[in-house]
Amino acid sequence: MKTTHLLKLLAAGMLTASVAMQAQAHRAWMLPSSTVLSGDAPYVTFDAAISNTLFFPDHVAMNLAGVKAYGPQGNAVELLNAAKGQYRSTFDIQLNQEGTYKLATSSGGLRAMWEDEDGKRKMWPRRGQTAQDSEFATAVPKDAKKLRVSRSYRRVETFVTLGAPSDDVFAPTNQGLEMVPLTHPNDLYAGEAATFTLLIDGKPAKGATIEIIPDGVRYRNQQNEIKLTTNDKGQFVVTWPTAGRYFLEAEYEDEQVSAPATKRTGSYAATLEVLPM
């Protein structure tokens, strides 16, 4: 009897965990081996993937062609030892200057969805591909049914610092959804509050939604997410409950966009590390 009851509990637990995992969306992330360093020209190794489970490579490796590394003065930094496997990509950078480095991948442009004469859904550009705005007129039928056109931006970032933190890498490009920190992202501590600003095309992203998830989702049934919304200045404040790695994801949408788009969307994601006090 005890064995049967235990098996039922295990089955129920596995089912709960499975449902919880299935409910999680694919997330793109870059995970540094260290975020705050000292010493003479140290290296940092990064894992990069798109996964169902946060920081656990179980879906597809990130394409490194779009990943850029920027030094403390905004200079380009070479990706070293880059490799792409089935589930994750890896690369190193060497920190030869003191200050804060940014690792980023971004994309954006027009996107269209419609139905053909047989009611089948069509998409331009196709999933995982990019296209130039100038191709829109020839790629999308002028008489497309249920046509929806948006201007979408997507950005994934993380940060590492050698020595004292610096701020030059946070200068916004004024394109898409970007985070400009008021609290330095490599100076975060458990129990303390941190303030960040989100911009959309260089202006405050009012009403953007933020979800912050602590590492370790694979080993619990709940995401334990923190949900926030930006104020009129595009700012939000988070008090870190515990030390550890966190995934921050923000979404924004409005209709302040020029034709042929009718909707502007932006997504932003970052990996952050919070240290113990």
Side-chain angles (χ1 to χ4, degrees):
M1 291 292 290
K2 289 183 178 178
T3 300
T4 301
H5 183 62
L6 177 60
L7 289 174
K8 288 181 177 179
L9 288 175
L10 288 172
M14 292 174 64
L15 178 60
T16 302
S18 175
V19 170
M21 292 176 65
Q22 290 173 12
Q24 298 166 18
H26 293 158
R27 293 185 168 99
W29 46 265
M30 288 185 285
L31 183 65
S33 57
S34 299
T35 58
V36 181
L37 300 97
S38 60
D40 185 15
Y43 287 82
V44 180
T45 294
F46 295 81
D47 291 335
I50 300 166
S51 68
N52 294 301
T53 307
L54 194 56
F55 301 148
F56 184 82
D58 59 7
H59 181 59
V60 65
M62 180 181 289
N63 186 351
L64 296 183
V67 175
K68 307 293 184 185
Y70 302 93
Q73 298 176 354
N75 51 299
V77 175
E78 183 182 5
L79 304 189
L80 305 173
N81 305 317
K84 183 179 180 182
Q86 182 65 34
Y87 293 121
R88 69 174 175 179
S89 297
T90 63
F91 62 91
D92 302 329
I93 65 167
Q94 186 176 20
L95 282 55
N96 292 307
Q97 300 172 281
E98 287 207 350
T100 299
Y101 294 66
K102 179 170 73 175
L103 290 299
T105 177
S106 61
S107 61
L110 288 175
R111 293 188 175 277
M113 297 182 65
W114 69 95
E115 291 184 0
D116 65 12
E117 295 178 351
D118 298 325
K120 295 182 179 179
R121 192 177 71 169
K122 297 292 183 179
M123 179 186 299
W124 174 87
R126 299 183 66 177
R127 194 179 303 278
Q129 297 182 342
T130 58
Q132 300 297 319
D133 289 1
S134 58
E135 300 171 6
F136 176 84
T138 55
V140 179
K142 291 181 173 55
D143 58 349
K145 298 178 180 177
K146 299 182 180 180
L147 176 64
R148 292 175 291 166
V149 183
S150 63
R151 183 166 293 282
S152 303
Y153 299 98
R154 186 179 188 186
R155 188 182 305 273
V156 180
E157 295 182 342
T158 192
F159 314 95
V160 299
T161 293
L162 173 64
S166 61
D167 297 322
D168 289 350
V169 292
F170 303 118
T173 66
N174 298 333
Q175 187 172 52
L177 190 62
E178 299 179 277
M179 185 177 77
V180 178
L182 299 181
T183 304
H184 197 287
N186 289 143
D187 193 24
L188 307 176
Y189 291 91
E192 288 191 351
T195 304
F196 304 96
T197 300
L198 287 175
L199 303 177
I200 180 72
D201 292 340
K203 298 181 179 179
K206 176 185 175 182
T209 58
I210 300 102
E211 190 172 80
I212 301 172
I213 304 172
D215 191 8
V217 171
R218 177 175 169 81
Y219 306 106
R220 59 179 185 264
N221 291 332
Q222 293 79 34
Q223 294 199 85
N224 296 345
E225 72 273 23
I226 300 169
K227 293 186 176 182
L228 301 165
T229 303
T230 55
N231 60 19
D232 289 348
K233 297 180 180 178
Q235 297 178 352
F236 64 96
V237 180
V238 54
T239 299
W240 306 103
T242 59
R245 290 159 167 166
Y246 286 81
F247 180 77
L248 184 154
E249 187 171 42
E251 301 286 342
Y252 179 84
E253 179 178 322
D254 68 17
E255 297 177 351
Q256 299 178 36
V257 64
S258 57
T262 58
K263 183 172 66 174
R264 177 174 62 167
T265 66
S267 69
Y268 176 89
T271 300
L272 304 173
E273 185 176 40
V274 176
L275 301 176
M277 287 293 288

